[in-house]
């Protein structure tokens, strides 16, 4: 049973009561903490020797907000939900004038992170946040912070007026004590943020700002209601007064707390942090070894992206290429990646120079004796990779981790010419590598636990979300999502419209449908990947001729300005009626006639037909022990393929529909359209027994990791 969170109070000779929130790791405000805070406050208010009160947090963190680990118990009814408004109004406003924002002043360190990130969890700021933040920093900035869950640092908070002073960590509590006494002795103003109005725009202007915010919210997240509710609550306080806003907030929060969106986003929050918990690796008490220098082989799109990610996290990088021309090209790509951040204001020139100073180039292996981690990112050629790994074994120190960014080649093949299988591992980045958040750490049956622990640590340091997966064709993400386009191609042969399928998928929440994605990735990659899957999973590859036929006519996707869409001005994808010629040819080669039933399909049906095969493959990935747990595949689907996070990930979404229904539909389609849809045994077993897809499988216990 976790130790109960609490607050401690110490009253100094200066008459200031310092109440400290103690609830590691982030001093979250659990019910215990809030009740303890109430008790400490009430005690302080009754004590004759207390003139002023300061609230702070233990361990260098103030508070991570309400204890979201208790949300699951609230959802399940295991713990009773306090009555509406009890916390935000009775405790935090009436008594305490709320923690932090509703205090009469706030003192911060310059680098502290301040924000109201509740919308990332499908809820809205409670405890009066929707009312106080606009009154402290103004409506526009508060909307940005809340709607984007975007924190700000102490320095900016001070400029905005969210905090009254910024001081060093060592001076924080003493400054707060003096400030509290100054307020008490009328040397500083006694301000209740709830009733401040100087930062609020006049009503007419405020309404325009809110109207624009609504339009933006609808555009950026058409399927989400909580951003719009947040705006409504803020508006209530502006139009009808802050107390009316408090009550609207309390009621709205209550409803959203039990929404599917909140349950899904909470699942994502904790699942993302759980990916670094890997049985047989992180549970052995191993400490990650220090990686002081990294070498990247290959300065192409992926290699330069990986090098960029590394130097952005202050790793010295040695970039090796085969000749001067390619090396310069690789360095120029890295410069361009960094310059793009400078142009967007995400990086200062000074930081750019510092990052570039970490980069050095090489044409040979002489400097490889200094490196601790090598990531190979050359072309997908088995023989070339085998030779490279044999060279690396010769030139690198014996502790050096030998990683490959391959997305299609068996790691055991790559390491075949070495005796270093224990330190060979996959570090599969997603393009662009310095932007996409997911990192697949691919472990063979020989890769040591230490190497996995080391790479998990590097992944975290370069701000990636790492998932540890087993060695198979496509690993987890590409393997799960291979059926995404396969299924869509099959249904086009049977008469469905390419653009209707794409629209249904984007309406579902995908960044793009399977055909727009194929254009983006390029038909060459699609064909090469298809060959890999045909070789390894022949019974469940749909051999559509559509893409090869289009390639014969130099249609190869976005890069060739024509694919499933045409690209006349830059990246704007426009449906292209010309593709009908190719579709008709593909249908005749497939020997299939359009199925009239398919024409009547709703968007929901289309989404099921495209995603149920993905879920089916995800079940196989779990059953084979390639993935450690279902929640890892949820994170993989969201961070690797853009699956909508507010649906919780592909497996949680599958469980919301039910294994039985999914199994039944796949069986029906298998009868009509072939073995591609045949449900796997893992899915069949869960459908028959009525157990969730995410329940651990026997094989997961002895995962092939
Ligand atoms: C009425 C409403 O206003 C009530 C609310 O306040 S709702 C909650 C609002 N707060 C949040 O959404 C904050 C969520 N947390 C974060 O954004 C980050 O954790 C952080 C910025 C607070 C700290 O980030 P970082 O230092 O990177 O640490 P981690 O994210 O890795 O978290 C460390 C462990 O703490 C757990 N945790 C984080 N926040 C909370 C929380 N609010 N309640 C309970 N537990 C929390 C997190 O799961 C990590 O746990 P682990 O076991 O170590 O993985």
């Amino acid at each position: 049973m976790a130790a109960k969170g609490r607050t401690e109070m110490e009253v100094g000779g200066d008459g200031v009561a310092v109440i400290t929130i103690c609830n590691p790791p982030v001093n979250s405000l659990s019910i215990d903490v809030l009740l303890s805070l109430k008790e400490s406050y009430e005690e302080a208010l009754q004590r004759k020797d207390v003139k002023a009160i300061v609230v702070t947090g233990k361990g260098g963190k103030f508070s991570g907000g309400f204890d979201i680990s208790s949300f699951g118990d609230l959802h399940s009814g295991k713990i009773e939900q306090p009555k509406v408004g009890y916390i935000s109004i009775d405790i935090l406003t009436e008594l305490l004038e709320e923690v932090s924002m509703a205090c009469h002043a706030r003192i911060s360190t310059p680098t502290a992170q301040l924000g109201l990130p509740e919308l990332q969890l499908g809820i809205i700021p409670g405890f009066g946040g929707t009312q106080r933040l606009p009154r402290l920093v103004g409506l526009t900035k508060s909307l940005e912070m809340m709607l984007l869950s975007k924190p700000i640092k102490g320095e900016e908070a001070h400029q905005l007026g969210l905090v009254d002073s910024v001081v060093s960590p060592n001076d924080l509590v003493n400054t707060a004590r003096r400030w509290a006494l100054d307020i008490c002795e009328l040397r500083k103003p006694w301000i209740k943020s709830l009733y401040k109005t100087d930062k609020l725009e006049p009503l007419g202007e405020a309404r325009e700002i809110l109207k624009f915010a609504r339009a933006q919210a609808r555009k950026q997240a058409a399927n989400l209601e909580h951003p719009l509710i947040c705006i409504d609550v803020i508006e209530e306080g502006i139009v009808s007064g802050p107390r009316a806003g408090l009550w609207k907030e309390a009621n709205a929060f209550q409803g959203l707390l039990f929404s599917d969106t909140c349950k899904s986003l909470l699942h994502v929050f904790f699942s993302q942090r759980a990916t670094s918990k890997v049985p047989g690796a992180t549970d052995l008490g191993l400490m990650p070894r220090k990686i002081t220098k990294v070498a990247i082989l290959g300065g192409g799109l992926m290699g330069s992206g990986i090098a960029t990610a590394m130097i952005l996290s202050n790793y010295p990088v040695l970039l090796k290429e085969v000749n001067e021309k390619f090396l310069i090209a690789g360095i120029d790509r890295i410069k361009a990646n960094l310059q793009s951040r400078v142009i967007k204001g995400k990086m200062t020139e000074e930081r750019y120079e510092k990052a570039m100073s970490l980069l050095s180039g090489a044409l040979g292996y002489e400097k490889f004796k200094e490196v601790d981690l090598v990531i190979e990112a050359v072309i997908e050629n088995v023989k070339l990779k085998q030779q490279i790994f044999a060279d690396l074994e010769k030139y690198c120190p014996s502790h050096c981790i030998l990683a490959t960014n391959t997305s299609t080649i068996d790691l055991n093949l790559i390491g075949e010419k070495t005796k270093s299988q224990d330190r060979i591992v996959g570090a599969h980045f997603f393009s662009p590598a310095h932007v996409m958040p997911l990192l697949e750490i691919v472990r063979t049956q020989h890769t040591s636990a230490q190497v996995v622990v080391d790479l998990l640590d590097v992944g975290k340091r370069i701000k990636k979300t790492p998932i540890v997966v087993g060695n198979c064709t496509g690993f987890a993400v590409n393997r799960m999502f291979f059926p995404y386009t396969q299924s869509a191609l099959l249904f086009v042969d049977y008469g469905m419209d390419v653009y209707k399928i794409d629209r249904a998928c984007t309406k579902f929440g995908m960044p793009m449908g399977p055909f727009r994605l194929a254009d983006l990735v390029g038909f060459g990659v699609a064909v090469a990947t298809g060959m890999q899957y045909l070789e390894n999973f022949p019974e469940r590859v749909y051999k559509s001729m559509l893409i090869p036929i289009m390639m014969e006519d130099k249609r190869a996707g976005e890069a060739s300005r024509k694919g499933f869409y045409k690209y006349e001005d830059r990246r704007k994808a426009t449906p292209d009626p010309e593709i009908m010629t190719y579709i008709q040819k593909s249908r005749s080669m497939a020997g299939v006639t359009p199925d009239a039933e398919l024409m009547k399909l709703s968007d929901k049906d289309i989404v099921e037909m495209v995603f149920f095969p993905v879920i089916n493959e995800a079940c196989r990935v779990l059953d084979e022990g390639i993935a450690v747990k279902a929640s890892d595949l949820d994170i993989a689907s969201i961070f690797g393929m853009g699956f909508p996070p507010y649906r919780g990930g592909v497996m949680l979404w599958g469980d919301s529909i039910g294994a039985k229904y999914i199994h039944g539909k796949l069986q029906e389609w298998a009868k009509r359209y072939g073995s591609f849809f045949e449900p796997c045994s893992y899915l069949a077993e869960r459908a028959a027994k009525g157990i969730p897809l995410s329940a651990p499988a026997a094989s997961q216990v002895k995962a092939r990791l």
Side-chain angles (χ1 to χ4, degrees):
M1 177 74 174
K4 277 190 170 185
R6 69 193 189 288
T7 59
E8 295 166 346
M9 183 166 76
E10 161 269 327
V11 179
D14 57 1
V16 176
V18 178
I19 300 175
T20 304
I21 304 169
C22 312
N23 192 17
V26 295
N27 294 329
S28 54
L29 300 174
S30 61
I31 302 291
D32 297 327
V33 165
L34 288 163
L35 293 175
S36 172
L37 188 60
K38 177 174 180 287
E39 283 164 22
S40 299
Y41 238 84
E42 285 167 340
E43 182 192 337
L45 290 175
Q46 282 155 16
R47 285 180 57 154
K48 296 282 180 278
D49 60 341
V50 171
K51 295 181 192 170
I53 298 171
V54 165
V55 182
T56 186
K58 196 167 186 175
K61 285 186 168 76
F62 178 69
S63 172
F66 192 71
D67 175 17
I68 58 178
S69 63
S70 67
F71 280 12
D73 291 342
L74 287 169
H75 290 153
S76 63
K78 205 168 149 190
I79 55 173
E80 198 182 327
Q81 168 74 4
K83 74 175 173 56
V84 173
Y86 174 62
I87 299 175
S88 62
I89 296 170
D90 298 356
I91 298 183
L92 297 175
T93 300
E94 304 312 18
L95 173 73
L96 200 112
E97 257 301 285
E98 195 212 313
V99 178
S100 181
M101 264 197 303
C103 289
H104 305 108
R106 286 151 297 284
I107 314 295
S108 169
T109 61
T111 55
Q113 188 174 277
L114 299 97
L116 289 179
E118 285 83 353
L119 271 81
Q120 72 180 359
L121 298 172
I123 48 178
I124 63 172
F127 300 172
T130 62
Q131 306 305 310
R132 292 185 171 95
L133 191 59
R135 287 166 176 77
L136 285 165
V137 304
L139 190 52
T140 302
K141 186 62 182 177
S142 67
L143 283 163
E144 177 194 317
M145 289 176 69
M146 286 186 265
L147 296 179
L148 302 178
S149 290
K150 190 175 170 194
I152 57 176
K153 294 279 188 203
E155 280 295 359
E156 185 182 2
H158 186 216
Q159 289 156 17
L160 290 165
L162 179 54
V163 300
D164 299 271
S165 181
V166 281
V167 296
S168 72
N170 292 339
D171 296 336
L172 194 61
V173 175
N174 286 336
T175 305
R177 300 178 88 115
R178 289 195 299 275
W179 204 289
L181 285 172
D182 286 346
I183 292 172
C184 172
E185 290 153 12
L186 307 183
R187 292 187 295 276
K188 284 187 175 7
W190 178 296
I191 299 170
K192 285 190 175 183
S193 55
L194 193 61
Y195 301 101
K196 270 173 64 66
T197 56
D198 58 301
K199 287 285 180 75
L200 283 182
E201 293 77 358
L203 188 55
E205 190 183 329
R207 283 196 193 280
E208 283 308 306
I209 293 169
L210 294 165
K211 186 177 164 194
F212 177 74
R214 282 194 179 90
Q216 286 296 94
R218 287 193 183 96
K219 188 174 159 207
Q220 280 153 16
N223 294 344
L224 296 179
E225 64 161 350
H226 66 287
L228 298 172
I229 290 173
C230 183
I231 296 167
D232 292 345
V233 166
I234 294 167
E235 184 168 45
E236 175 72 3
I238 292 171
V239 172
S240 311
R243 292 195 72 83
L246 278 181
W247 278 108
K248 189 172 181 73
E249 174 196 275
N251 284 300
F253 180 85
Q254 187 87 348
L256 290 171
L257 182 60
F258 292 86
S259 67
D260 290 340
T261 297
C262 175
K263 291 171 187 168
S264 296
L265 290 173
L266 203 62
H267 169 76
V268 171
F269 179 89
F270 287 113
S271 300
Q272 185 182 2
R273 286 154 180 79
T275 62
S276 305
K277 296 177 176 100
V278 181
T282 57
D283 54 358
L284 305 176
L286 295 168
M287 293 307 292
R289 294 174 298 179
K290 186 166 171 48
I291 305 288
T292 48
K293 188 157 191 179
V294 179
I296 308 288
L297 273 81
L301 175 68
M302 290 308 290
S304 58
I306 297 167
T308 305
M310 289 290 169
I311 59 178
L312 279 172
S313 296
N314 299 319
Y315 282 103
V317 167
L318 178 64
L319 179 66
K320 180 185 179 298
E321 257 295 359
V322 289
N323 60 51
E324 193 69 24
K325 179 182 169 212
F326 285 7
L327 181 57
I328 291 168
I331 292 170
D332 286 346
R333 286 189 190 95
I334 296 166
K335 283 179 179 173
N337 292 339
L338 296 176
Q339 273 300 338
S340 152
R341 296 171 69 85
V342 173
I343 292 162
K344 289 174 188 165
K346 291 182 178 176
M347 186 179 223
T348 62
E349 281 293 347
E350 184 194 1
R351 182 81 185 79
Y352 167 85
E353 295 302 337
K354 162 94 171 56
M356 284 306 297
S357 70
L358 293 169
L359 180 64
S360 56
L363 296 177
Y365 287 111
E366 299 72 31
K367 296 180 190 169
F368 276 60
K369 53 183 176 298
E370 302 155 12
V371 300
D372 307 303
L373 165 65
V374 179
I375 301 178
E376 169 270 314
V378 302
I379 55 170
E380 293 290 77
N381 176 303
V382 176
K383 294 214 176 311
L384 174 60
K385 290 184 192 284
Q386 287 177 335
Q387 184 53 54
I388 285 173
F389 274 74
D391 293 342
L392 291 173
E393 183 176 56
K394 191 172 156 193
Y395 292 101
C396 295
S398 58
H399 71 274
C400 180
I401 298 168
L402 309 179
T404 170
N405 174 60
T406 187
S407 55
T408 57
I409 300 172
D410 180 345
L411 271 61
N412 289 320
L413 258 182
I414 290 173
E416 205 169 65
K417 295 187 183 316
T418 72
K419 295 181 181 60
S420 303
Q421 277 71 18
D422 62 322
R423 56 194 175 115
I424 287 178
V425 65
H428 181 223
F429 290 79
F430 291 78
S431 183
H434 59 296
V435 174
M436 289 296 279
L438 191 69
L439 169 63
E440 275 184 323
I441 296 174
V442 188
R443 183 178 183 178
T444 71
Q445 60 274 41
H446 308 298
T447 310
S448 73
Q450 182 63 62
V451 162
V452 172
V453 166
D454 294 342
L455 216 44
L456 279 167
D457 186 55
V458 172
K460 197 161 185 178
R461 289 172 187 275
I462 62 173
K463 300 182 184 55
K464 296 295 179 188
T465 295
I467 61 164
V468 178
V469 297
N471 178 35
C472 70
T473 298
F475 312 137
V477 175
N478 290 339
R479 177 165 167 194
M480 268 197 305
F481 270 84
F482 182 67
Y484 182 55
T485 306
Q486 285 276 298
S487 179
L489 285 166
L490 180 145
F491 286 117
V492 166
D493 274 352
Y494 276 88
M496 282 179 77
D497 175 71
V498 159
Y499 308 115
K500 185 176 181 191
I501 292 172
D502 269 9
R503 279 194 302 275
C505 291
T506 49
K507 201 172 143 200
F508 173 74
M510 292 298 287
M512 55 185 75
F515 298 106
R516 178 69 188 85
L517 180 64
D519 274 4
L520 178 70
V521 168
F523 290 3
V525 172
V527 169
T529 309
M531 300 296 283
Q532 286 278 334
Y533 283 81
L534 189 57
E535 198 179 312
N536 291 281
F537 313 117
E539 78 289 353
R540 53 184 195 267
V541 169
Y542 176 69
K543 303 174 193 68
S544 164
M545 291 308 294
L546 182 52
I547 288 180
I549 295 169
M550 293 167 87
M551 284 184 80
E552 282 168 8
D553 256 7
K554 305 279 181 282
R555 268 181 185 263
E558 189 176 328
S560 64
R561 320 303 300 150
K562 277 192 175 184
F564 287 101
Y565 296 82
K566 54 187 176 185
Y567 300 86
E568 276 140 2
D569 58 334
R570 281 186 58 74
R571 301 200 57 207
K572 188 175 181 316
T574 311
D576 185 354
E578 281 183 18
I579 65 168
M580 270 322 293
T581 316
Y582 305 102
I583 290 171
Q584 274 147 11
K585 194 171 177 187
S586 175
R587 283 173 184 162
S588 89
M589 291 174 82
V592 297
T593 47
D595 176 343
E597 285 293 300
L598 291 178
M599 306 307 146
K600 300 174 210 151
L601 288 184
S602 67
D603 284 348
K604 171 181 173 293
D605 297 327
I606 293 171
V607 164
E608 290 179 357
M609 291 176 133
V610 164
F611 277 105
F612 283 6
V614 170
I615 291 174
N616 199 18
E617 196 61 34
C619 289
R620 293 187 180 103
V621 166
L622 274 177
D623 202 18
E624 294 167 24
I626 295 295
V628 172
K629 49 190 179 293
S631 61
D632 284 0
L633 296 183
D634 285 329
I635 296 303
S637 64
I638 292 165
F639 289 82
M641 286 300 290
F643 190 89
Y646 55 84
R647 297 185 190 275
V650 72
M651 299 305 276
L652 192 84
W653 177 68
D655 274 335
S656 71
I657 294 168
K660 193 174 175 63
Y661 176 78
I662 296 170
H663 181 262
K665 296 301 277 185
L666 285 168
Q667 273 191 323
E668 180 193 319
W669 299 330
K671 287 194 188 94
R672 291 183 74 163
Y673 306 112
S675 64
F676 170 77
F677 293 102
E678 200 57 50
C680 67
S681 55
Y682 178 105
L683 178 56
E685 179 204 7
R686 272 117 214 279
K689 293 179 182 170
I691 51 179
L693 298 174
S694 52
S699 60
Q700 281 175 264
V701 177
K702 49 183 187 316
R704 195 179 65 177
L705 290 173

